[in-house]
Amino acid sequence: MKLIFVSSLESHCRGLAVKHLQAHEPRAIVVHHDVLEGHRVVRRVSGSAPPERAATVLEHGCIGCATRFEILPTVLRLVPRQADGVLIVALPPTWHSDLVLDIIRPELQRRSLQVNSVVLALDPAALEDQMWDRHTLWESGYNTMEPDERTAGEYFYRELMLADTLIPTQGLSAELLGEHAAELREGGVQFNAGLHLAGQLAPHAVVCHHPADDRLGRYDAGEAGQRVFPGHLPTVPMVDGRDPSHAIELKAERPLHPERFREALPGLAVSCTCIRGTIWVANAPGTRIALGGAGPRIWMESTGPWAGETAGTRLLLMGSEHEADQVRSVLHSCQLSDAELRGFWSDSTARNP
C-alpha cells in the first residue's frame, strides 16, 4: 500500500501534480483538502473511491485542528487495506507537510501504516520570483484563513527540504499566455532556470522531469527533520571535484567580529535566492547561531551550544550572482584579526579559568 502526500504553494500546481501521479497510479484514491475563510475545510474525494464533496466548519481553523478533526479521520477511513492500494492526499496550499505528518504519523504507526512519499508541486518558471516576493502569503492571497506573515520564499525554504520528490508543473501563466509563454513552458529558458534552482535548494529530492517519469522519493521522517533543522547545510553534489549547481560554500575557522559581520551581511545576501548555515560570533562564542534567508528575508536564531559540533562559520549561498572569490574575501575580513583573536582567547580564559 502506498500513501503519498502532496504539498504546494497554490492549487493549480497541486492539481497538475495529482494528475501526474494518477497517470501512473490509475487505481489510486485521491482526497483534496482546502481551507477557506470562516474556518471552513472542504473535502473532495475522487479516483477509485466513491466521489465525495463535503465541508466542515471548525471552531478554530489552525493546521492542528484541521488535521486532527478532518484530515486524519479522512485518511484513516480511506486508506486502502489491499497491498496494491494507493491513497494520494493533496494538502491545502501553503501548508508545511511536516506539521500535518507529525500529527498523522503516530496514528498510522499504530495501524502498521507508513507514509511513502511527500511530493512538492511547483512551477519552476515562477520559483525565483516567488522566492523574492516581498508580499506575505496573506497579502498574495495564497492563504485565506488568517493573516499569514510568511512569504512564498519562506514556504519554499522549508518545504523544499521536507519533500523527497519534486514534480515540476507549468504554471497558470503559461496556460493563459499560450504561444507567447515559450520561456515558461517545459524546456523554456525560465522553466529550466527554475529547475536548476530547485536542484540547488533540494539536492536530496527525486525530480520527475517528464510525464512518463514515475519515480518517487522515499519519505523518512528523521532525515526530513534533520534537513529542516536550523543551520543544516544540504550536501552539495560534486562532479569531477566541482559543484555543477554553482552554489557557493563559505567557511570561516575563526570567530566573526559581530559588528563587521553585521555590516557585511547585506552584501553577502543581496543577490542570493537562498542562504543557509551557521555562524560563530565572537560575542557569543559558545552559542551555535543558525542563519537562514529566502529572497529579501534574512533571519538568525540561537540553537543552543555547539554540542559535539566544531564551532565555525559554514554558509551556503544558492541562486547567487556573486563571484565566489569575492564573497569568500568579504567573509574572511569579518574574522577576528590576530590581535583580536589573542584578546578573545584571553577574555575567554579569564571568564572560564
Side-chain angles (χ1 to χ4, degrees), residues 40-53:
R40 195 161 164 261
V41 183
V42 176
R43 177 181 71 250
R44 291 178 291 123
V45 177
S46 58
S48 63
E52 296 179 22
R53 185 178 178 88

Side-chain angles (χ1 to χ4, degrees), residues 9 32 37 48 51 73 87 141 144 183 208 212 261 276 306 319 330-331:
L9 178 66
H32 287 80
E37 291 179 304
S48 63
L87 176 61
T144 60
E183 289 191 355
C208 298
F261 182 71
R276 294 178 179 272
W306 288 94
V330 170
L331 183 64

Side-chain angles (χ1 to χ4, degrees), residues 269-300:
V270 67
S271 75
C272 298
T273 304
C274 183
I275 183 170
R276 294 178 179 272
T278 57
I279 57 173
W280 186 23
V281 186
N283 60 347
T287 303
R288 179 184 184 273
I289 299 175
L291 176 69
R297 286 199 177 180
I298 303 293
W299 58 90
M300 288 183 280

Side-chain angles (χ1 to χ4, degrees), residues 61-78:
C62 66
I63 291 179
C65 290
T67 301
R68 288 185 180 91
F69 300 120
E70 171 55 39
I71 297 178
L72 175 58
T74 301
V75 169
L76 295 180
R77 175 171 59 87
L78 294 176

Side-chain angles (χ1 to χ4, degrees), residues 9-330:
L9 178 66
E10 47 90 20
S11 58
H12 174 77
C13 291
R14 181 187 65 174
L16 293 178
V18 168
K19 287 182 179 178
H20 175 101
L21 293 169
Q22 283 184 288
H24 300 287
E25 300 287 357
R27 297 180 59 191
I29 300 171
V30 179
V31 56
H32 287 80
H33 279 99
D34 290 282
V35 182
L36 308 180
E37 291 179 304
H39 301 169
R40 195 161 164 261
V41 183
V42 176
R43 177 181 71 250
R44 291 178 291 123
V45 177
S46 58
S48 63
E52 296 179 22
R53 185 178 178 88
T56 302
V57 178
L58 301 174
E59 183 176 347
H60 190 268
C62 66
I63 291 179
C65 290
T67 301
R68 288 185 180 91
F69 300 120
E70 171 55 39
I71 297 178
L72 175 58
T74 301
V75 169
L76 295 180
R77 175 171 59 87
L78 294 176
V79 67
R81 300 302 174 183
Q82 61 272 31
D84 60 346
V86 180
L87 176 61
I88 299 171
V89 182
L91 298 175
T94 76
W95 280 24
H96 286 305
S97 54
D98 63 331
L99 300 181
V100 177
L101 295 180
D102 284 347
I103 297 172
I104 290 179
R105 192 167 53 252
E107 297 299 325
L108 294 176
Q109 290 172 343
R110 290 189 185 99
R111 294 162 174 81
S112 299
L113 300 170
Q114 63 180 7
V115 178
N116 295 85
S117 298
V118 173
V119 174
L120 174 62
L122 75 162
D123 174 13
L127 180 59
E128 185 168 7
D129 288 341
Q130 289 166 337
M131 290 289 292
W132 281 100
D133 191 355
R134 294 181 177 274
H135 296 92
T136 68
L137 295 178
W138 170 259
E139 292 169 339
S140 300
Y142 289 120
N143 192 341
T144 60
M145 280 294 295
E146 54 188 61
D148 189 337
E149 296 302 319
R150 293 173 301 156
T151 63
E154 288 175 296
Y155 167 79
F156 279 120
Y157 179 94
R158 184 173 184 84
E159 200 61 30
L160 280 161
M161 286 286 98
L162 289 168
D164 53 72
T165 305
L166 306 182
I167 296 185
T169 67
Q170 291 182 172
L172 194 58
S173 296
E175 294 190 9
L176 295 176
L177 293 174
E179 61 183 14
H180 302 291
E183 289 191 355
L184 308 181
R185 297 184 182 279
E186 184 172 349
V189 173
Q190 197 166 330
F191 191 96
N192 287 341
L195 275 180
H196 177 82
L197 177 60
Q200 280 191 339
L201 301 178
H204 62 278
V206 172
V207 182
C208 298
H209 289 279
H210 307 292
D213 196 341
D214 63 350
R215 296 174 303 143
L216 291 178
R218 179 186 60 85
Y219 175 72
D220 184 294
E223 291 178 2
Q226 288 179 349
R227 291 194 298 265
V228 296
F229 185 75
H232 168 79
L233 288 181
T235 300
V236 178
M238 303 297 286
V239 176
D240 295 330
R242 294 181 298 174
D243 166 26
S245 69
H246 307 300
I248 299 174
E249 189 172 3
L250 303 179
K251 297 181 181 180
E253 305 301 333
R254 296 184 177 192
L256 304 179
H257 188 286
E259 189 62 25
R260 290 203 295 273
F261 182 71
R262 184 187 66 80
E263 293 175 354
L265 181 56
L268 289 174
V270 67
S271 75
C272 298
T273 304
C274 183
I275 183 170
R276 294 178 179 272
T278 57
I279 57 173
W280 186 23
V281 186
N283 60 347
T287 303
R288 179 184 184 273
I289 299 175
L291 176 69
R297 286 199 177 180
I298 303 293
W299 58 90
M300 288 183 280
E301 59 181 301
S302 167
T303 63
W306 288 94
E309 184 179 353
T310 302
T313 297
R314 304 287 186 275
L315 298 175
L316 197 61
L317 313 184
M318 292 164 280
S320 175
E321 297 177 3
H322 286 306
E323 291 291 335
D325 290 342
Q326 179 184 11
V327 288
R328 289 190 179 109
S329 176
V330 170

